[in-house]
Amino acid sequence: MKSMHRAPLISSSSSSSSSSSHSFVSRLLLLLTLLPVSLACLAFILQWRGGGLADPASASVGSSSSVPGGVSDFNHEVFPGMETVSSVSPKAHQSSSSDCSNLARSSSPSFPYYGDWKFGVDSSLKPKICITTSTSAGLDQILPWMFYHKVLGVSTFFLFVEGKAATPNISKVLESIPGVKVIYRTKELEEKQAKSRIWNETWLSSFFYKPCNYELFVKQSLNMEMAIVMARDAGMDWILHLDTDELIYPAGAREYSLRRLLLDVPPNVDMVIFPNYESSVERDDIKDPFTEVSMFKKNYDHLPKDTYFGMYKEATRNNPNYFLTYGNGKSVARVQDHLRPNGAHRWHNYMKTPNEIKLEEAAVLHYTYAKFSDLTSRRDRCGCKPTKEDVKRCFMLDFDRSAFIIASTATEDEMISWYREHVVWGDKEVKMKLLRKGILTRIYSPMVVIQALKESGVFSSVVSSASTNLSKKQFLASMHKSNSSRSTESESLLSKDKESQGISARHLLGTESAVPPLSPPGMEHARFVTED
């Protein structure tokens, strides 16, 4: 009898245990399912309540009617290293570690994408930095280049435009951007520059009356001379000459800011040299170098010398030099009396030898030959004969000479093959070896900043704003006004500092020649470095 009653008890106990186990597993699965869903909902709610970008269309609509002056009240998304002026008190500006360009509020919107966003800087922030350039590029290159440097804290741009950049559809957009001064290469401008003191001095004379790159070098120097006067009149502290295929990389600063970098420069320094890194493309179909290129070859000055010369052959890949083009960097100068250009890469002073420093981490990123089309575009700008002798009259650097001959004489297929062999880094094994050695390096910051600007609609908004707000009649009037004001500034350039001009003229024979684009050291220099 005992055994007969014991069996049902055991069965009941087993059934209860199985049910309990099944219930526990079900609850565990439910918990694991609900937990990520709950976290996702929480993240969505937090973003919706103000953590994400406000809808630009709905934000701009009604902003003018709800708030006096048309300033909307929604929260703004701030790009890295930037902050809205309205969110920071003047006291906070003084104590803040961020001296980058701000997205400032204004009652007269510059970029309708965000209604009242404006890439400007607080006028009280120091130092004030300007960039001057001579360009014939289109908006697809100029706008990313310009707004990237606005993010870094550059407030003013002096653009000497010609060719494509001077066409109405492009120049009217440039004219509409705050802090941008456009100077057109007109006959009037050329006549003014023909009277420049530079033509009577010796430091640039070896570049006069030569075609192509030499002509461009002289033109850049004359434009830089005019930009110095404009910078001084605008109250700038620093001036930088930069091409539109170059970006400043402010490594070593306490924040991603050119202003912060220059703020830390000792007051007795007149010129700061940025060694250049050269783009190293990994494909032959690059369309937008600023957002597609992340690999760069480091400068000689930023490498251990045994590494540089030890890996020279692999890094050069049978090209004439370590870099395809120049290797002597660019410089930024403190705006002061008697300042003059010393070619496109350096500045000088008529009255003293500038005290200069070279940065150990920051660099200029040079996107040279980053697109296959760069081969033909350089060819089309120069009318020299594609012979080894004639190209020496036109180009200063060996690779430019070789590229011009190939682009002028080879078929399309031959050009692509040559481009892949000499420019594109297709060998993964060699590439990884040079990355491990530090010859090549990955830099993503400019790509991220420019991509963020593009995705936010800043570039397209600038274009559409100019099309909407500037009629053809207004544009022509602004162009005339721009030329007139530049002519006045040119006159002031010729008339200012007469006394110092007379003094400096007595020192011209001892003045060093302008610094041209120079290739990095070759293997012939290895012995001297070892001896040192």
Side-chain angles (χ1 to χ4, degrees):
M1 288 289 294
K2 289 182 180 179
S3 62
M4 289 176 63
H5 290 288
R6 195 173 293 169
L9 281 172
I10 293 172
S11 176
S12 174
S13 174
S14 175
S15 175
S16 174
S17 175
S18 174
S19 176
S20 174
S21 175
H22 179 74
S23 176
F24 174 75
V25 172
S26 299
R27 290 175 182 173
L28 181 61
L29 290 174
L30 181 62
L31 178 63
L32 292 175
T33 303
L34 290 176
L35 183 59
V37 173
S38 301
L39 291 174
C41 291
L42 179 61
F44 175 78
I45 292 170
L46 290 175
Q47 185 178 21
W48 177 72
R49 288 179 62 108
L53 281 172
D55 176 58
S58 62
S60 58
V61 175
S63 63
S64 59
S65 60
S66 60
V67 182
V71 181
S72 61
D73 196 36
F74 63 91
N75 291 328
H76 298 294
E77 179 74 8
V78 181
F79 290 106
M82 306 176 73
E83 59 191 4
T84 56
V85 171
S86 59
S87 65
V88 184
S89 66
K91 180 179 269 189
H93 270 302
Q94 296 173 5
S95 60
S96 171
S97 63
S98 174
D99 285 299
C100 284
S101 172
N102 300 310
L103 295 180
R105 293 184 176 225
S106 169
S107 58
S108 54
S110 299
F111 310 116
Y113 181 79
Y114 282 109
D116 64 349
W117 275 24
K118 177 181 177 182
F119 283 83
V121 292
D122 188 328
S123 59
S124 65
L125 292 179
K126 293 283 186 175
K128 295 181 180 179
I129 309 165
C130 66
I131 290 179
T132 180
T133 191
S134 303
T135 183
S136 59
L139 293 177
D140 58 333
Q141 182 170 328
I142 297 176
L143 291 183
W145 170 85
M146 181 188 298
F147 280 90
Y148 169 82
H149 289 106
K150 278 179 174 283
V151 172
L152 266 60
V154 178
S155 61
T156 304
F157 297 81
F158 302 117
L159 307 183
F160 291 82
V161 298
E162 56 183 301
K164 187 177 181 180
T167 58
N169 287 340
I170 292 177
S171 53
K172 73 177 181 181
V173 174
L174 300 177
E175 287 268 10
S176 71
I177 302 172
V180 175
K181 298 185 184 301
V182 181
I183 305 95
Y184 301 88
R185 179 146 290 277
T186 60
K187 183 179 179 181
E188 186 180 21
L189 177 66
E190 290 178 346
E191 289 174 351
K192 297 296 182 184
Q193 290 188 338
K195 299 176 183 178
S196 168
R197 58 188 291 184
I198 286 178
W199 297 99
N200 297 319
E201 298 171 351
T202 59
W203 59 271
L204 194 62
S205 59
S206 61
F207 300 89
F208 292 160
Y209 313 117
K210 294 180 181 180
C212 299
N213 277 15
Y214 290 91
E215 181 183 6
L216 174 62
F217 192 74
V218 172
K219 193 183 296 181
Q220 288 174 325
S221 300
L222 291 167
N223 292 343
M224 290 166 70
E225 183 186 46
M226 286 186 65
I228 291 171
V229 176
M230 297 181 208
R232 187 168 58 196
D233 292 345
M236 295 291 111
D237 299 303
W238 293 92
I239 184 170
L240 169 66
H241 175 259
L242 209 62
D243 295 329
T244 53
D245 63 350
E246 298 169 330
L247 300 178
I248 290 292
Y249 176 56
R254 284 178 280 173
E255 60 191 30
Y256 202 76
S257 165
L258 178 59
R259 177 181 285 113
R260 180 74 261 172
L261 195 68
L262 295 178
L263 195 62
D264 294 336
V265 172
N268 66 325
V269 172
D270 303 306
M271 186 167 68
V272 179
I273 298 172
F274 289 78
N276 62 294
Y277 290 6
E278 191 172 81
S279 62
S280 300
V281 300
E282 300 169 82
R283 309 193 321 266
D284 61 12
D285 60 349
I286 299 291
K287 301 300 181 187
D288 183 5
F290 290 158
T291 59
E292 294 181 62
V293 177
S294 64
M295 191 169 75
F296 297 85
K297 189 185 290 186
K298 295 179 72 173
N299 194 282
Y300 167 83
D301 291 318
H302 285 182
L303 288 169
K305 303 311 170 239
D306 56 343
T307 300
Y308 177 86
F309 290 111
M311 302 299 297
Y312 188 85
K313 183 177 180 180
E314 290 91 336
T316 304
R317 300 190 306 164
N318 296 319
N319 282 321
N321 296 293
Y322 173 78
F323 277 160
L324 301 182
T325 53
Y326 75 88
N328 53 331
K330 289 292 182 75
S331 63
V332 57
R334 201 181 292 275
V335 178
Q336 54 187 276
D337 290 340
H338 317 300
L339 180 68
R340 71 161 172 86
N342 199 30
H345 295 258
R346 293 290 187 272
W347 305 87
H348 203 68
N349 193 294
Y350 280 112
M351 303 304 293
K352 66 178 181 179
T353 300
N355 181 24
E356 64 181 46
I357 60 172
K358 186 175 291 184
L359 297 176
E360 296 180 355
E361 295 180 73
V364 170
L365 305 181
H366 186 202
Y367 296 78
T368 185
Y369 290 99
K371 297 185 293 184
F372 173 70
S373 60
D374 289 343
L375 278 180
T376 53
S377 63
R378 290 168 186 256
R379 174 200 66 194
D380 296 340
R381 291 198 302 265
C382 186
C384 289
K385 297 177 182 178
T387 63
K388 290 185 178 180
E389 288 303 315
D390 205 46
V391 293
K392 290 180 182 179
R393 293 190 310 111
C394 304
F395 299 98
M396 304 180 199
L397 300 172
D398 291 331
F399 188 87
D400 286 333
R401 295 168 180 170
S402 300
F404 179 79
I405 292 175
I406 287 294
S408 301
T409 60
T411 64
E412 184 82 6
D413 289 341
E414 289 172 338
M415 279 194 289
I416 292 177
S417 178
W418 185 90
Y419 184 78
R420 288 171 180 167
E421 180 183 352
H422 293 272
V423 180
V424 179
W425 288 81
D427 191 323
K428 292 184 178 180
E429 186 177 339
V430 173
K431 187 167 59 178
M432 291 306 299
K433 182 179 180 181
L434 294 177
L435 282 167
R436 285 195 296 269
K437 290 289 186 178
I439 297 285
L440 296 176
T441 186
R442 294 284 184 186
I443 299 175
Y444 297 99
S445 302
M447 179 187 295
V448 172
V449 172
I450 291 175
Q451 190 63 38
L453 289 167
K454 181 181 293 186
E455 291 176 358
S456 73
V458 169
F459 306 146
S460 58
S461 296
V462 171
V463 175
S464 61
S465 176
S467 301
T468 303
N469 298 330
L470 196 63
S471 66
K472 182 178 180 181
K473 185 177 180 180
Q474 289 173 318
F475 168 69
L476 292 174
S478 68
M479 181 176 173
H480 176 74
K481 180 180 178 182
S482 177
N483 280 339
S484 300
S485 62
R486 303 306 164 248
S487 299
T488 303
E489 285 161 343
S490 297
E491 291 286 4
S492 68
L493 174 67
L494 300 171
S495 61
K496 283 184 179 182
D497 302 327
K498 289 290 186 182
E499 182 179 351
S500 65
Q501 289 181 26
I503 295 172
S504 64
R506 294 196 293 269
H507 296 82
L508 288 179
L509 292 178
T511 302
E512 295 181 2
S513 179
V515 178
L518 300 173
S519 297
M523 287 303 295
E524 65 275 12
H525 297 90
R527 179 171 59 87
F528 301 106
V529 173
T530 304
E531 289 177 356
D532 291 344

